[in-house]
Amino acid sequence: MTKIDTSGAGDAAPTPSHTVGPFYGYALPFPGGGDIAPVGHPDTVTVQGYVYDGAGKPVPDAFLEVWGADPAGRVSRVDGSMRRDPASGGHLGRNGVEFTGWGRVQTDANGHWYAHTLRPGARGAGAPYLSVCVFARGLLVHLFTRIYLPGDDAALAADPLLARLDGARRDTLVAREEPGGTYRFDLRLQGEGETVFLEFT
């Protein structure tokens, strides 16, 4: 609540921060939000995991925005992740052909999330990665992090961000490869094994 100075002697005090959740299912998620890669694309990978709070419990109502370059390292400029029908206002979805590079996914009741996307290519120095923005109840500000995919040890070793971290912290940014072209990446918001989050100034 903003405090108002009725004496006329000073300005109003700032309004306290609000948390960035809870979220409303009719407003923010959209059907197919995690299906970033065009259907049937041969370079599609699945990245999936869980969001955990500081006590190690799953967060059932977080959502993540995931974006990344295409396999050639190009950032898409294509519109269409959340296309609407101009007549009805209904959701048309992606066009199924073009890669937008962006998706929004929510966690389920068990804190699980997934995205089908293309394995990103390198852009400049460093290893390729997916950018992630995390929104959840209790957070005063959304959190930014990265997902590096394993497979190129030389690129990971030379990455400027990863090189600044000790082994345990570094591991919180590198997904684990699982059978079937799937990568596991869990997000821990705080506590033991907390994911490395980035601050942009």
Side-chain angles (χ1 to χ4, degrees), residues 7 32 83-84 95 133 149 164 181:
S7 70
R83 295 182 310 136
R84 298 281 178 185
N95 65 18
C133 186
L149 301 181
R164 295 171 51 190

Side-chain angles (χ1 to χ4, degrees), residues 155-180:
L156 293 173
D159 185 83
L161 173 62
L162 294 178
R164 295 171 51 190
L165 302 170
D166 65 43
R169 301 295 288 144
R170 177 185 182 277
D171 288 347
T172 70
L173 296 179
V174 181
R176 294 193 324 265
E177 188 167 7
E178 297 187 322

Side-chain angles (χ1 to χ4, degrees), residues 90-171:
H91 180 262
L92 287 174
R94 303 172 195 273
N95 65 18
V97 177
E98 296 172 295
F99 175 67
T100 65
W102 179 84
R104 179 184 289 155
V105 295
Q106 64 187 99
T107 56
D108 65 17
N110 297 314
H112 184 257
W113 68 275
Y114 74 89
H116 303 299
T117 189
L118 300 182
R119 186 180 180 105
R123 298 179 59 225
Y129 59 86
L130 298 169
S131 295
V132 179
C133 186
V134 183
F135 302 80
R137 73 170 78 188
L139 296 179
L140 298 181
V141 179
H142 48 275
L143 301 173
F144 295 98
T145 190
R146 292 178 177 179
I147 302 174
Y148 291 89
L149 301 181
D152 188 340
D153 292 341
L156 293 173
D159 185 83
L161 173 62
L162 294 178
R164 295 171 51 190
L165 302 170
D166 65 43
R169 301 295 288 144
R170 177 185 182 277
D171 288 347

Side-chain angles (χ1 to χ4, degrees), residues 3-36:
K3 296 179 182 177
I4 300 174
D5 182 353
T6 57
S7 70
D11 295 326
T15 301
S17 297
H18 295 282
T19 65
V20 296
F23 303 104
Y24 301 98
Y26 65 83
L28 292 171
F30 61 97
D35 297 323
I36 304 168

Side-chain angles (χ1 to χ4, degrees), residues 35-69:
D35 297 323
I36 304 168
V39 175
H41 196 289
D43 296 322
T44 299
V45 296
T46 299
V47 184
Q48 60 89 23
Y50 293 83
V51 178
Y52 295 107
D53 66 16
K57 295 182 178 177
V59 179
D61 56 359
F63 78 81
L64 288 69
E65 292 187 344
V66 179
W67 64 101

